[in-house]
Amino acid sequence: MFLGPINQSKPWDSNGIDGCYRFLKKAWNLYHKGDAFAVSADAPSKENLKTLHKLIKKVTEDIETFSYNTAVPAFMIAVGELAQQKCAARSVLEPLAVLLSPFAPFFAEELWHKLGHEGTVCDAEWPAFDEAYLKEDSVTLSVSFNGKTRFTLDFPADASKEQIEKETLASEAAAKYLEGKQIVKVIVVPGRIVNIVVK
């Protein structure tokens, strides 16, 4: 499934098995510390939920379109992010086991029972995707002077054009480019760029 679209022929390469094994080992380590099962009842962080819901969205869409070759890398990215975030929250790792079940059924079944469930993971409810967890709190905009990018600034995601313009002109980084210059126009493209035209 990882090598390419399901409807195309693919060259068999045993090196691919090693990559899948490493991924499953990394996923297994999310649930364990050494030999001990380490899933906790702790509340998940904002980053944990963002990673999970990004994965739910991608895997659900990919299964519907038989794009398994793009779902597998999405799992690899998500597991890497959760490992970096040191996530051990049951509310994240339980849905992850359900998402994994069509791809690694025996693996997911083992985790499902370790999580304390009696029935099979195949009967578990498929996780629902929530767009709210994917909203960014802040955006990074490039600041240009006469079309040349000089630096970047972070703004709240819902900042108005006026707020972005005011904060940019008041920033320390802008001071040296504005010194002795006259501002002709400030162009703000939300989510993309701020361009200050000076002469």
Side-chain angles (χ1 to χ4, degrees):
M1 288 194 286
F2 182 52
L3 290 173
I6 203 82
N7 59 345
Q8 291 177 15
S9 60
K10 295 167 278 290
W12 172 250
D13 183 2
S14 58
N15 290 331
I17 297 170
D18 194 41
C20 291
Y21 171 74
R22 282 196 311 273
F23 158 67
L24 289 172
K25 196 172 176 184
K26 203 169 185 180
W28 185 262
N29 289 339
L30 283 177
Y31 297 80
H32 300 83
K33 270 203 178 88
D35 292 332
F37 193 63
V39 175
S40 72
D42 296 349
S45 69
K46 215 172 186 176
E47 289 77 25
N48 296 164
L49 291 169
K50 185 178 177 182
T51 296
L52 174 67
H53 284 269
K54 203 164 54 174
L55 183 66
I56 293 171
K57 183 177 194 281
K58 178 76 178 135
V59 171
T60 304
E61 288 170 357
D62 284 351
I63 286 174
E64 286 169 3
T65 57
F66 301 100
S67 304
Y68 307 123
N69 59 308
T70 55
V72 175
F75 274 115
M76 292 176 170
I77 291 165
V79 165
E81 286 178 5
L82 291 171
Q84 264 187 331
Q85 297 158 11
K86 296 185 169 39
C87 176
R90 173 183 280 273
S91 54
V92 171
L93 298 182
E94 197 163 90
L96 177 62
V98 178
L99 291 171
L100 274 167
S101 62
F103 298 86
F106 296 101
F107 181 87
E109 196 71 49
E110 178 75 15
L111 291 174
W112 191 245
H113 286 277
K114 282 189 163 219
L115 286 160
H117 297 282
E118 291 292 319
T120 173
V121 70
C122 301
D123 293 336
E125 190 177 339
W126 189 256
F129 158 68
D130 188 342
E131 186 81 51
Y133 293 116
L134 299 191
K135 286 189 179 142
E136 297 287 353
D137 291 335
S138 65
V139 289
T140 302
L141 302 184
S142 297
V143 179
S144 300
F145 290 83
N146 293 340
K148 278 192 177 174
T149 302
R150 299 297 184 185
F151 56 89
T152 60
L153 287 174
D154 292 332
F155 298 94
D158 57 355
S160 65
K161 281 187 178 185
E162 294 75 21
Q163 185 184 345
I164 291 170
E165 182 178 330
K166 187 178 165 190
E167 285 185 31
T168 303
L169 294 175
S171 71
E172 276 182 48
K176 74 173 185 178
Y177 297 104
L178 293 172
E179 200 177 326
K181 306 269 191 207
Q182 183 191 335
I183 298 169
V184 178
K185 191 174 13 172
V186 179
I187 303 157
V188 178
V189 182
R192 303 235 359 238
I193 196 168
V194 181
N195 187 32
I196 300 166
V197 182
V198 293
K199 67 176 185 179

